Amino acid sequence: MDKAKEIILEGNNKVKEVAQVLGYTDEFYFSRLFKQLEGMSPTEFYRNNVHGV
């Protein structure tokens, strides 16, 4: 998930693209797994860390 966070913080990729880069064929599975491990969805992670909300 560290690589996922790096890609998300670059800010140019959609969740589906991040999932594909990391080898996940199902972006919904990737999102659920990310949320389980990080405590927030990839979108929330992006919003909190890029926009500082």
Side-chain angles (χ1 to χ4, degrees):
M1 283 302 140
D2 290 335
K3 185 65 176 170
K5 291 190 282 187
E6 287 177 30
I7 297 169
I8 291 167
L9 291 176
E10 290 172 4
N12 301 328
N13 301 298
K14 298 187 182 327
V15 173
K16 182 176 185 174
E17 294 167 341
V18 175
Q20 288 175 340
V21 167
L22 297 172
Y24 292 93
T25 55
D26 182 347
E27 76 242 44
F28 302 107
Y29 172 74
F30 166 75
S31 290
R32 284 193 308 271
L33 188 61
F34 188 97
K35 188 167 186 170
Q36 285 177 347
L37 296 172
E38 300 300 326
M40 64 182 78
S41 72
T43 305
E44 290 171 318
F45 178 81
Y46 173 79
R47 223 178 291 135
N48 289 343
N49 290 284
V50 175
H51 296 297
V53 174

